[in-house]
Amino acid sequence: MANITLGGNPVETIGELPAVGSQISDFELIAIDLSSKTLADFKGSRLILNIFPSVNTGVCAASVRQFNAEANELENTKVLCISRDLPFAQEQFCAAEGLDNVVMLSDFKTGQFGKDYGVLFTNGIFDALLSRSIVVADASGKVLYNEQVPETGEEPNYKAALEALYDA
């Protein structure tokens, strides 16, 4: 269980992020076309998992925009933006923003991704949403970097996440 804050108030998540050096776990998430996506759909690609509470908040939207801009420069890398938003909302956001370099995925059905990756809030006003986190994995699925942002209202360390890819 991670202890972080939301608006300065203590909140908890269900567990811990996958450790650096470990293999990322399989998942089943819903894409904007309502198809199911698993880790196998991204086999052979380096991954940036940009995990956040809701694309309808300013900081979450900023992280999607930032990684969308960075993704253009990344070789063999997919940026997966993961929240519990409905796929319809994710699609509308990307269409309105003109974002096409990220893959929007939703954990709205079961919350299993949030449980397996340790990012599901267990209390506070964002209870049952996903905490702002980054997991970076190489093409074999080995975790190169992780960050659970200590204050949910702040942006992740984009530079450190991207440097993990370049250093690998």
Side-chain angles (χ1 to χ4, degrees):
M1 161 179 73
N3 293 303
I4 54 179
T5 58
L6 174 60
N9 299 310
V11 290
E12 298 173 348
T13 61
I14 200 163
E16 302 290 333
L17 287 172
V20 171
S22 69
Q23 289 295 122
I24 58 173
S25 299
D26 196 9
F27 53 77
E28 183 176 359
L29 296 164
I30 307 302
I32 59 175
D33 65 0
L34 301 181
S35 65
S36 291
K37 298 290 183 188
T38 67
L39 185 57
D41 291 304
F42 305 100
K43 185 176 181 172
S45 294
R46 301 181 311 170
L47 299 176
I48 298 174
L49 280 59
N50 177 30
I51 307 161
F52 50 86
S54 175
V55 76
N56 289 316
T57 65
V59 177
C60 300
S63 73
V64 175
R65 287 185 203 106
Q66 181 68 36
F67 278 120
N68 183 74
E70 299 286 351
N72 250 351
E73 308 298 319
L74 302 174
E75 186 177 317
N76 189 36
T77 303
K78 303 282 186 201
V79 178
L80 310 182
C81 294
I82 304 166
S83 70
R84 295 206 67 196
D85 291 303
L86 291 175
F88 312 114
Q90 293 175 331
E91 180 180 32
Q92 288 172 344
F93 173 79
C94 286
E97 297 279 334
L99 306 179
D100 56 6
N101 296 324
V102 295
V103 178
M104 299 297 283
L105 298 169
S106 178
D107 189 29
F108 84 97
K109 280 192 173 182
T110 65
Q112 193 61 49
F113 173 88
K115 294 171 190 168
D116 292 345
Y117 277 72
V119 295
L120 190 73
F121 280 116
T122 60
N123 65 345
I125 61 172
F126 280 8
D127 185 27
L129 296 179
L130 307 179
S131 72
R132 187 174 325 288
S133 305
I134 303 293
V135 177
V136 177
D138 68 12
S140 72
K142 182 175 104 177
V143 177
L144 303 173
Y145 174 83
N146 69 23
E147 175 190 13
Q148 190 163 41
V149 179
E151 166 52 54
T152 303
E154 295 177 1
E155 293 184 55
N157 187 338
Y158 305 111
K159 183 179 178 184
L162 295 168
E163 285 176 354
L165 285 175
Y166 296 123
D167 293 343

